[in-house]
Amino acid sequence: MSAVLFDVPGPKARSRNVYLNVVTVAIVVGAIAFIMFRFYESGQFTAKKWEIFTFPRVQEKFLEAIWATLSAFGVAAVGSIVLGILLAFGRLADTKWVRIPCYWFTELFRAVPLLILMMIMYYGLPSAGVKGITPFIAVVVGLILYNGSVLAEVFRAGIESLPKGQREAGLAIGMSKGQVLRSILLPQAVRSMLPVIIAQLVVIMKDTALGFLITYDEILKYANFLGSQGQYGSPVVPALMVAAVIYVGLCLVLSGVAKFTEYKMSSRVKVAKIKAGMA
């Protein structure tokens, strides 16, 4: 019998949970309906406010903004994972001169708000004499520093959660500590912590919207530009709704790809276990 973290609810508890779920859904649906009604009453769904989205040039610019968002996300995601792995290995190193700097680096950039990192990169470094800092570089570097530090703790926690016998077995057959980390512990840690890694990648995708504040031409910046077009009724709300739908779609696609990857990895592990049992 596997232990559970809570008691199995009885008939009364199940009835109460159903009642609370129904009430919660009703409140959420009512709030959404009220918001949509207010939008309708204020003229946010009139044809004039949505006409601008039918123009081919506007649609092309939205595609360019989506590409800019995906470009920043792709580079930042890869950089964050690489930095997270390096910092996690540094946190687990035996030597203090590696472990202590990695610890303080991780704690520092986890504590600094991401927007401040971007602004330091874009506004602070040029004033200090550093040239060539574009909005893309500022967004990507800020995302990598922050999310890489967060992922470092994820990888470290995943590695330390594994049974100590696996580390000892690897060392016993002559592998170095680095080989044990790379070949034995890290792959298992990634599989066990994959849901958390997926969630952090979704955060990276959404945080690219902060680039709007440092003039990076991503989705939110272009939506804000469309919302300021007075000749089309200043469609602020429609533009933000379109941007929100795009972000939701991108995050759902990312989550779907990650779930598919998780499924394939789990299938390979099951096949390997079956082959090992047959041998």
Side-chain angles (χ1 to χ4, degrees):
M1 296 292 293
S2 59
V4 294
L5 300 178
F6 53 87
D7 293 333
V8 177
K12 290 185 177 179
R14 287 197 296 269
S15 300
R16 184 168 60 251
N17 291 339
V18 171
Y19 172 75
L20 291 175
N21 289 336
V22 171
V23 171
T24 302
V25 171
I27 292 174
V28 172
V29 172
I32 294 175
F34 175 75
I35 293 172
M36 299 302 290
F37 174 75
R38 291 296 301 166
F39 283 165
Y40 173 79
E41 200 174 42
S42 60
Q44 297 300 326
F45 297 121
T46 58
K48 183 178 180 180
K49 288 185 180 292
W50 291 89
E51 180 185 6
I52 192 172
F53 301 104
T54 64
F55 300 157
R57 182 55 182 166
V58 170
Q59 296 169 3
E60 291 176 6
K61 293 294 289 184
F62 255 122
L63 291 177
E64 293 175 6
I66 292 173
W67 173 247
T69 297
L70 292 177
S71 299
F73 162 74
V75 177
V78 174
S80 298
I81 292 174
V82 172
L83 179 61
I85 292 173
L86 293 177
L87 290 174
F89 284 178
R91 292 288 307 275
L92 297 171
D94 294 327
T95 54
K96 289 185 178 180
W97 64 270
V98 175
R99 185 173 64 252
I100 293 177
C102 288
Y103 168 80
W104 285 111
F105 184 96
T106 302
E107 293 300 318
L108 172 64
F109 287 106
R110 283 173 61 202
V112 179
L114 176 56
L115 182 58
I116 292 179
L117 289 176
M118 292 182 181
M119 288 188 168
I120 289 174
M121 292 296 302
Y122 189 63
Y123 297 112
L125 292 185
S127 64
V130 179
K131 305 297 182 181
I133 303 296
T134 63
F136 176 80
I137 293 175
V139 170
V140 168
V141 173
L143 288 170
I144 290 175
L145 291 175
Y146 177 78
N147 293 284
S149 300
V150 174
L151 287 174
E153 287 299 288
V154 173
F155 290 128
R156 184 185 64 82
I159 291 173
E160 291 186 337
S161 68
L162 297 174
K164 294 183 178 180
Q166 300 197 30
R167 183 195 308 266
E168 295 170 354
L171 296 174
I173 62 175
M175 298 177 70
S176 65
K177 184 176 180 179
Q179 290 174 324
V180 172
L181 284 173
R182 292 191 303 270
S183 303
I184 298 177
L185 301 181
L186 181 62
Q188 296 183 73
V190 170
R191 282 197 297 270
S192 63
M193 304 300 289
L194 193 57
V196 182
I197 296 172
I198 294 170
Q200 197 60 37
L201 291 178
V202 172
V203 169
I204 295 175
M205 173 74 77
K206 293 187 294 184
D207 282 349
T208 57
L210 293 175
F212 154 69
L213 297 173
I214 57 171
T215 70
Y216 183 58
D217 293 324
E218 44 75 55
I219 297 170
L220 183 58
K221 184 174 185 295
Y222 187 62
N224 181 70
F225 169 76
L226 292 179
S228 64
Q229 302 304 302
Q231 65 270 34
Y232 296 101
S234 298
V236 177
V237 173
L240 292 178
M241 291 176 67
V242 171
V245 169
I246 293 174
Y247 275 114
V248 170
L250 293 176
C251 290
L252 288 177
V253 171
L254 174 62
S255 298
V257 171
K259 290 294 184 183
F260 177 76
T261 303
E262 181 180 6
Y263 169 76
K264 296 297 289 185
M265 292 174 64
S266 301
S267 300
R268 290 178 182 176
V269 172
K270 291 179 181 178
V271 171
K273 287 182 179 179
I274 293 174
K275 290 182 178 179
M278 294 177 61

